[in-house]
Amino acid sequence: MIDVKYCCQCGARVALRIPPGDNLPRYVCDVCGSIHYQNPKIVAGCVAVWQERILLCRRAIEPRYGLWTLPAGFMENGETTHQAAARETLEEACAQVINLTLYGLFNLPHINQVYIIFRGELSAPEVSAGPESLEAALFTEGELPWGALAFPVMRETLRLFCQDRRTDRYPVRVGDILLGPDRSIQMSSL
């Protein structure tokens, strides 16, 4: 939970308490009554392919600077999940993606994020690094940089995608990426 000190409505100090009718502590303004909810962030991304190759971007920003990932990022207000996935692909790899279909929904409660991942096709094989990427490249399954992937959710998405590609069946994948008692990352499918 992010520490909130002041009300964004009136500027008064807020207090952490359970509001009437609720069951969780929230930051509440005693002056204007505003309740400041903190909810998970939605990350939209895409497994974008050109023929047998998968698009990855090498991060030019923290966290995980220099490591590879699928194009993905936080949704913006006023856009759909499809639009967010397409926008992130354009921003990070200068690539247009078409025929988006839902592929996965992954909950990451330990960092308060929900990933919504689509499958899509690149409209052309030309890709290049956007402002948040050091480089963008297309990889066959055998070329994927498994040891240099930035995030466990992307590793799991790629593992499942490669498995599904062998059967040419792409069920919607739903799962949780959890932080274990020893701080290790664990995947559980629903």
Side-chain angles (χ1 to χ4, degrees), residues 44-48 55-57 69-73 85 88-90 92-93 117 154:
C46 188
V47 179
L55 173 64
L56 293 181
C57 303
T69 187
L70 294 167
E88 288 291 339
T89 304
L90 182 61
E92 294 182 8
I117 305 292
M154 296 308 182

Side-chain angles (χ1 to χ4, degrees), residues 48-56 89 93-98 121-129 136-139:
V49 298
W50 178 261
Q51 298 171 354
E52 295 300 311
R53 298 184 173 281
I54 302 167
L55 173 64
L56 293 181
T89 304
C94 301
Q96 297 279 340
V97 65
I98 57 174
E121 302 166 18
L122 293 169
S123 60
E126 293 78 31
V127 299
S128 62
L138 296 169
F139 295 88

Side-chain angles (χ1 to χ4, degrees), residues 110-144:
H110 62 284
I111 56 173
N112 302 315
Q113 293 178 357
V114 176
Y115 276 68
I116 299 175
I117 305 292
F118 293 88
R119 281 187 315 117
E121 302 166 18
L122 293 169
S123 60
E126 293 78 31
V127 299
S128 62
E132 295 181 1
S133 300
L134 296 171
E135 62 183 303
L138 296 169
F139 295 88
T140 65
E141 181 179 345
E143 298 168 335
L144 288 170

Side-chain angles (χ1 to χ4, degrees), residues 5-23:
K5 295 186 186 313
Y6 301 98
C7 178
C8 65
Q9 299 298 316
C10 73
R13 282 201 160 276
V14 295
L16 185 62
R17 62 182 168 83
I18 299 174
D22 205 335
N23 62 351

